[in-house]
Amino acid sequence: MPIAFYNTLSRTVEEFIPMHEAEVRMYTCGPTVYDYFHIGNARSFVMSDIIRRYFEYRGYKVTYVMNITDIDDKIINRANEQGVPSSDIAEKYTEAFLRDTALFGIRPADVHPRATETMEEIIAHIQGLIERGAAYAVDGDVFFRVSAFDGYGKLSRKNIEDLVVGSRVEADPRKENPVDFALWKSAKPGEPAWDAPWGSGRPGWHIECSVMSQKFLGKSFDIHAGGNDLIFPHHENEIAQSEALTDAPFARYWIHFGFLNIDNEKMSKSLGNFFTAREILEKYPATVLRFYYLQTHYRSPLNFTPEGIEAAKTGLQKLQGLYDAVRAAVSGDGAFDVEAWEQRFITAMDDDFNTPAGFGALFEMVRDANAVLRSDEGMADAAREKLAAFLRRTGVELFGILHEETEENAGGEALDGVMRLLIDIRAEARKDKQFALSDRIRDGLKGLGIALEDGRDGTTWKYNS
Ligand code: AMP
Ligand code: ZN
């Protein structure tokens, strides 16, 4: 049975047929780097990473691209508030994004393209659209001509007439049609700008994603993903700008993640009901948070509660308990059919990446396996090894929720976390020129037999031999 999942484009669960045998090319909209990302963003990033890893689990070779939007109004506004160049803001929060996603156990994408490093391709794409009559320049701005693209509205199922009525009030009079949208914004004083044939300025957000995805995945690729809020206008516009130039289908499958709410309200900064990923990681281990997210289907909304996380902690201990027990158990004779459980797990996950159903199967397996392990007969070695391998492939490699340490060698993961924290504090101290503090951290660790090494990609640590 092949993998099937919900395609927003067709509004149905479709069998997945990749463009290239056993390969998946996937793009997910990444962060706009003007602040630390929050636990709602983290949910989308985790679920996207899990879908990528599930394809790998099922034997596909995956090329996974996630952009970093490092030029945008929000970044420029934040930079102006603080009186620093916008590249400082973008750099700071790009670094924070890469570090916090790592702490969350989210694997880096194969490529994290940045808009500012894709400028040549963005300008060429816009130029191509102008030449084809699908875009027009006015006073240094460039707009996409929605009437030039027949398929406009096919993803969000909106029709142009309704959109025209809705957008007439605040429409820019320079637009031919109120639904036309900006591909390029002319330079304003004090803003970063790039030279282009129609005048210097910077790209709009939508065109950045069209170009960054196609640059690394080709003009047509398998999957494009992002949060539910991006269906319109972001993804609708991405399709229009891309297909109007290439005449080829852009992404063939569209995946959208449900929102994370707090107290059944959309989490947002203005409401103050807001946690950053780094705040939450100080309270709970990443493994528990990941498991918490995974217990809800990726398309459903998730109402964030501390009680829900506590429950996830207890559930996860059961799975970890079996993983520890199966590796520590002595030889026995009892049979255990791991393949049958794996089949049930795959059947659940193949159906629209149904993680709650997948865990349903895993937890039934936990009950059965514990019964065999605790019986007088115990579990035969071959079955034990297969069970441990299955738990490693699912719990460790696919979901990133189990750890390898058993009670005897516990501490390794915690130490790693403590060291990362100390390295961060030292880096911040050095930035603030608090050299006495940064030296105290380095020298104190030296006394404990741990050396810090500063390299181009940051600081690492090792035991002094
Ligand atoms: P942004 O940095 O705002 O462009 O968002 C990055 C990603 O997080 C996008 O895919 C958004 O759709 C997604 N996202 C934003 N808020 C939430 C939320 N509350 N729950 C789930 N995903 C979200
Ligand atoms: Zn995007």
Side-chain angles (χ1 to χ4, degrees):
M1 273 279 289
I3 296 176
F5 58 89
Y6 187 84
N7 185 355
T8 310
L9 200 55
S10 65
R11 299 282 197 273
T12 56
V13 174
E14 281 181 53
E15 195 176 289
F16 176 63
I17 303 164
M19 290 180 66
H20 305 270
E21 173 94 20
E23 273 186 43
V24 180
R25 297 183 190 181
M26 175 168 172
Y27 181 89
T28 298
C29 290
T32 304
V33 282
Y34 71 103
D35 207 341
Y36 297 113
F37 68 88
H38 58 62
I39 54 174
N41 304 129
R43 181 186 184 206
S44 287
F45 300 149
V46 166
M47 297 318 290
S48 181
D49 182 40
I50 294 295
I51 289 174
R52 165 222 205 164
R53 292 194 207 193
Y54 186 66
F55 278 113
E56 289 177 350
Y57 177 90
R58 299 286 277 119
Y60 288 84
K61 177 183 172 293
V62 183
T63 308
Y64 182 57
V65 179
M66 180 184 277
N67 69 295
I68 290 173
T69 300
D70 62 352
I71 185 76
D72 185 81
D73 291 342
K74 290 181 197 153
I75 301 172
I76 293 170
N77 293 343
R78 180 62 54 94
N80 289 343
E81 278 162 30
Q82 298 186 8
V84 296
S86 70
S87 55
D88 281 14
I89 298 288
E91 243 168 66
K92 173 176 173 184
Y93 292 109
T94 298
E95 234 175 69
F97 166 77
L98 294 172
R99 191 182 53 176
D100 294 351
T101 44
L103 292 179
F104 234 102
I106 297 165
R107 267 171 44 196
D110 296 301
V111 198
H112 281 293
R114 295 166 201 214
T116 55
E117 290 170 359
T118 321
M119 218 40 86
E120 218 174 289
E121 292 87 347
I122 292 173
I123 292 168
H125 192 115
I126 296 175
Q127 183 66 33
L129 287 172
I130 294 176
E131 282 162 17
R132 288 193 133 212
Y136 53 96
V138 199
D139 309 333
D141 283 355
V142 181
F143 296 102
F144 183 81
R145 182 177 279 126
V146 167
S147 64
F149 181 62
D150 278 345
Y152 197 78
K154 66 181 170 181
L155 180 70
S156 58
R157 309 254 165 132
K158 291 185 188 293
N159 83 46
I160 297 190
E161 288 73 40
D162 292 347
L163 289 171
V164 169
V165 173
S167 59
R168 204 163 267 153
V169 190
E170 9 100 63
D172 182 336
R174 297 170 310 153
K175 288 184 188 176
E176 289 176 5
N177 182 331
V179 291
D180 291 353
F181 56 88
L183 298 172
W184 190 263
K185 300 175 181 184
S186 61
K188 295 190 188 56
E191 287 188 0
W194 286 261
D195 286 333
W198 47 85
S200 75
R202 62 192 166 89
W205 172 40
H206 314 306
I207 191 75
E208 296 176 359
C209 276
S210 283
V211 177
M212 285 189 270
S213 55
Q214 292 182 309
K215 177 171 176 180
F216 293 98
L217 300 174
K219 63 181 178 183
S220 297
F221 55 92
D222 296 301
I223 301 174
H224 193 316
N228 256 337
D229 57 325
L230 302 186
I231 298 174
F232 187 85
H234 186 53
H235 290 162
E236 192 70 65
N237 291 356
E238 275 191 54
I239 294 175
Q241 303 155 150
S242 305
E243 298 188 358
L245 184 70
T246 63
D247 290 329
F250 178 51
R252 296 162 67 245
Y253 298 82
W254 287 84
I255 292 179
H256 289 101
F257 305 109
F259 254 51
L260 180 121
N261 302 317
I262 290 190
D263 299 329
N264 293 309
E265 266 187 293
K266 187 180 158 173
M267 192 176 65
S268 82
K269 277 190 176 168
S270 49
L271 292 169
N273 55 358
F274 177 87
F275 291 103
T276 62
R278 54 173 60 191
E279 279 166 351
I280 212 79
L281 284 168
E282 285 171 9
K283 294 204 177 92
Y284 305 101
T287 46
V288 170
L289 293 164
R290 295 167 63 83
F291 179 56
Y292 173 64
Y293 288 148
L294 288 163
Q295 285 175 303
T296 300
H297 189 261
Y298 75 88
R299 285 199 280 129
S300 306
L302 168 59
N303 190 41
F304 183 86
T305 59
E307 297 77 38
I309 301 186
E310 289 303 328
K313 207 176 196 174
T314 312
L316 187 55
Q317 275 161 2
K318 287 189 193 144
L319 204 57
Q320 183 70 46
L322 174 63
Y323 189 44
D324 293 346
V326 74
R327 289 177 301 158
V330 291
S331 297
D333 299 314
F336 190 74
D337 189 353
V338 182
E339 281 91 354
W341 285 108
E342 175 158 21
Q343 212 39 62
R344 278 189 56 184
F345 171 76
I346 288 175
T347 304
M349 288 288 294
D350 277 1
D351 179 12
D352 202 15
F353 312 111
N354 194 334
T355 51
F359 281 111
L362 291 183
F363 278 94
E364 270 187 57
M365 180 186 81
V366 170
R367 212 186 44 211
D368 264 32
N370 279 332
V372 176
L373 284 168
R374 288 169 190 163
S375 68
D376 294 342
E377 225 182 6
M379 193 183 285
D381 279 347
R384 239 168 18 91
E385 276 162 27
K386 278 189 194 162
L387 178 55
F390 176 52
L391 285 169
R392 184 177 319 109
R393 282 191 295 117
T394 50
V396 180
E397 291 166 15
L398 169 59
F399 294 130
I401 55 174
L402 295 184
H403 54 84
E404 299 281 3
E405 287 87 11
T406 52
E407 266 176 29
E408 292 90 78
N409 67 359
E413 194 177 304
L415 177 63
D416 226 35
V418 170
M419 285 307 301
R420 277 197 302 256
L421 184 66
L422 273 176
I423 287 171
D424 283 352
I425 293 172
R426 175 169 166 266
E428 278 166 27
R430 291 214 294 186
K431 235 183 210 163
D432 296 341
K433 305 207 175 358
Q434 297 185 31
F435 297 113
L437 176 59
S438 67
D439 288 349
R440 191 170 149 211
I441 293 171
R442 194 199 49 217
D443 298 342
L445 288 170
K446 209 170 177 185
L448 297 170
I450 292 172
L452 295 183
E453 290 184 345
D454 296 316
R456 266 191 48 197
D457 298 323
T459 304
T460 53
W461 67 275
K462 60 171 197 181
Y463 289 112
N464 265 335
S465 44

